Amino acid sequence: MKPSIDQLLALIESKEEELIQLTQALVRIPTINPPGDYYGDCIELLRSRLEDRGFEINIIRAEGTPGDDEQYPRLNIIARKEGSRPGPCVHFNSHIDVVPPGLGWDEDPFEAKLIDGKIFGRGTCDMKGGLAASIIAVEALLEWMPEYPGSIEISGTADEETGGYGGVAYLAEKGWMAVPRIDHVIIPEPLNKDRICLGHRGVWWSELETFGKVAHGSMPFLGDSAIRHMTAVLDEFEQKLFPSLQQKVTAMPVVPEGAKQSTLNINSIHGGLAEGFAGFPAALVADSCRVVLDRRFLIEEQLSEVKLEVLSLLDGLMKSRENFSYSLKDLFEVVPSMTDQNAPVVQSVARGISRVFEREPEYVVSPGTYDQKHIDRIGKLKDCIAYGPGILDFAHQANEYVGVTDMVESAKVMAMATYELLSGEQAE
Ligand SMILES: [Zn+2]
């Protein structure tokens, strides 16, 4: 007779101390990205732990991806545990990189101190706490159910914080994180323990440059200021583009509320004299001005329309403004991704949440992108969500932390969902 789900949940509770220690051990390896420090050490920790528990290990270096070199190899691990008979593959994907700690910490960001039921440190919430919770969830499940159909995978991947090209994108291209190899993916990003993140908005980053003609600053009429041309562009944005973006509201359940609209951030602006020079400026008319634009768009919008909005304003200026010229360069683009609420992984995690928290989950969409984009677009796998412990707002902040109870509870949800996805039976 199969032991009861209550026994599985109790088993996870009994592993609380182990979960704390694993989280601390992961956080104490400062895998700061950029540049991609200590990936090898973190992969080694995961390898030795999971190999000891009978996982088949693959360590994959994303050779030739941005930032990959001998000093900072982009290393990834996929650990796989095959069941006793054929069946689906449930995959937990966590990124092992963390953003630089920055200033303002009350504790050492890499000491992973446990204070009042919270572990503090860079990467606790985003997302080594989630990685540790998924490992404990899977280990408990394997103890509780040694015989199962299909397979379970746990991956630790590089470079999510810098676009995922040396991590999930590479693995999806090579078929590791793609159909038909895997069937269901849970990414334990910190989305709060009772929320299911179905996907994310789209992104278009671009660099816009206006051109002028250099001249002596005392006689600007002999030149043509690229900065004044850019001012005209920004004025068009203020008068026309920003108001129109405000009108676009999505039906996607994006959080926070403000991100339900289309948004544009002017990431940076530069024109004229080079920055970083401490001396007295030379009297020159700027012949170039550049802005970097960060446009986030909704599932209801097409990327081509998003670009056309900007292009039509620029073309209007070409007609109305003397000597106006520009170039527009795409830097990065991701289309929105949203998993169907009825997809198997969503449903099984939802049942886990209602069992553990005795309430229905909240379904959300992230304002920014994460590695789901690569699994969706490159790996062609739609049954993918983000679900994990930790509060989204604390990610990347000083004094980042993850709550121990949150990790234990979300590990319970992950274990129950994995059981359902593998066995095809509802957890009772
Ligand atoms: Zn993250």
Side-chain angles (χ1 to χ4, degrees):
M1 203 186 91
K2 194 177 75 225
S4 75
I5 287 288
D6 287 332
Q7 280 171 292
L8 172 63
L9 302 185
L11 189 56
I12 291 171
E13 271 170 34
S14 75
K15 290 178 184 287
E16 180 178 306
E17 192 50 43
E18 215 184 319
L19 177 53
I20 293 170
Q21 283 169 10
L22 176 57
T23 307
Q24 287 177 320
L26 288 165
V27 173
R28 286 172 185 154
I29 303 168
T31 44
I32 299 171
N33 180 35
D37 272 330
Y38 300 103
Y39 283 172
D41 297 55
C42 191
I43 296 289
E44 176 52 27
L45 187 154
L46 295 169
R47 182 201 63 77
S48 75
R49 182 175 186 107
L50 294 168
E51 201 167 57
D52 283 353
R53 287 158 176 83
F55 281 77
E56 173 202 321
I57 303 293
N58 284 286
I59 294 172
I60 301 135
R61 175 170 165 187
E63 274 183 65
T65 56
D68 176 69
D69 58 24
E70 288 313 311
Q71 192 184 359
Y72 298 111
R74 299 352 247 185
L75 293 171
N76 300 277
I77 184 169
I78 296 179
R80 181 181 179 97
K81 183 109 166 129
E82 210 72 55
S84 49
R85 52 193 189 277
C89 173
V90 177
H91 183 112
F92 286 91
N93 167 247
S94 298
H95 63 86
I96 58 167
D97 57 326
V98 302
V99 293
L103 302 174
W105 288 79
D106 297 331
E107 304 295 335
D108 179 336
F110 297 106
E111 203 187 317
K113 244 191 199 171
L114 176 66
I115 305 167
D116 295 334
K118 297 170 181 162
I119 303 171
F120 286 83
R122 176 54 84 227
T124 47
C125 156
D126 186 9
M127 58 175 292
K128 288 172 172 172
L131 170 57
S134 68
I135 291 173
I136 294 296
V138 167
E139 289 176 358
L141 184 71
L142 293 172
E143 273 178 49
W144 178 77
M145 183 176 68
E147 301 271 302
Y148 58 92
S151 54
I152 304 175
E153 288 190 345
I154 295 172
S155 61
T157 53
D159 287 2
E160 190 276 341
E161 300 292 2
T162 50
Y165 298 102
V168 172
Y170 184 88
L171 297 170
E173 272 160 27
K174 300 287 174 196
W176 289 98
M177 285 201 194
V179 286
R181 200 175 166 279
I182 55 177
D183 299 284
H184 314 283
V185 176
I186 296 173
I187 303 176
E189 286 273 11
L191 267 309
N192 302 15
K193 61 187 175 185
D194 53 357
R195 301 204 298 204
I196 295 176
C197 182
L198 301 169
H200 51 72
R201 297 192 298 175
V203 188
W204 174 47
W205 282 71
S206 61
E207 186 182 82
L208 169 65
E209 184 169 8
T210 51
F211 302 103
K213 185 171 154 245
V214 70
H216 197 288
S218 67
M219 297 170 283
F221 47 85
L222 296 181
D224 183 24
S225 171
I227 296 174
R228 289 187 60 188
H229 287 309
M230 187 59 83
T231 311
V233 173
L234 297 182
D235 191 50
E236 286 287 289
F237 284 3
E238 289 298 333
Q239 302 301 326
K240 296 174 186 161
L241 186 56
F242 283 110
S244 111
L245 298 187
Q246 258 176 16
Q247 301 302 314
K248 298 185 193 195
V249 180
T250 183
M252 298 170 98
V254 187
V255 287
E257 196 59 31
K260 282 204 168 76
Q261 291 172 355
S262 277
T263 57
L264 171 65
N265 177 43
I266 299 167
N267 170 279
S268 56
I269 179 163
H270 184 73
L273 202 75
E275 279 171 307
F277 172 64
F280 196 77
L284 288 171
V285 173
D287 56 358
S288 156
C289 185
R290 277 177 295 115
V291 293
V292 170
L293 303 174
D294 174 359
R295 172 78 163 83
R296 305 292 170 134
F297 62 100
L298 314 172
I299 210 158
E300 293 85 352
E301 297 179 279
Q302 295 295 322
L303 178 59
S304 56
E305 295 164 12
V306 165
K307 293 183 179 181
L308 204 61
E309 264 172 349
V310 170
L311 282 167
S312 66
L313 291 179
L314 294 168
D315 289 341
L317 287 168
M318 292 278 281
K319 294 193 186 89
S320 63
R321 208 176 153 83
E322 216 181 321
N323 294 327
F324 180 83
S325 68
Y326 72 91
S327 77
L328 184 64
K329 193 167 74 185
D330 293 330
L331 298 179
F332 178 61
E333 50 192 55
V334 175
V335 294
S337 174
M338 190 161 77
T339 301
D340 192 312
Q341 212 167 299
N342 295 314
V345 72
V346 180
Q347 289 296 308
S348 51
V349 170
R351 277 190 292 273
I353 288 173
S354 18
R355 166 80 185 245
V356 173
F357 303 105
E358 292 175 348
R359 61 175 175 270
E360 290 307 304
E362 190 189 340
Y363 298 94
V364 300
V365 161
S366 167
T369 73
Y370 52 97
D371 278 336
Q372 182 163 337
K373 58 180 175 267
H374 302 307
I375 293 168
D376 175 357
R377 278 195 316 160
I378 307 171
K380 305 275 182 266
L381 180 70
K382 303 292 170 194
D383 202 33
C384 176
I385 55 163
Y387 169 76
I391 296 163
L392 179 63
D393 311 36
F394 296 144
H396 298 201
Q397 293 200 9
N399 300 319
E400 176 184 346
Y401 71 83
V402 66
V404 173
T405 309
D406 289 2
M407 285 197 294
V408 172
E409 288 173 339
S410 68
K412 291 180 181 176
V413 174
M414 292 180 205
M416 286 175 62
T418 307
Y419 165 71
E420 283 202 14
L421 291 166
L422 290 174
S423 69
E425 286 169 36
Q426 289 197 11
E428 313 217 335

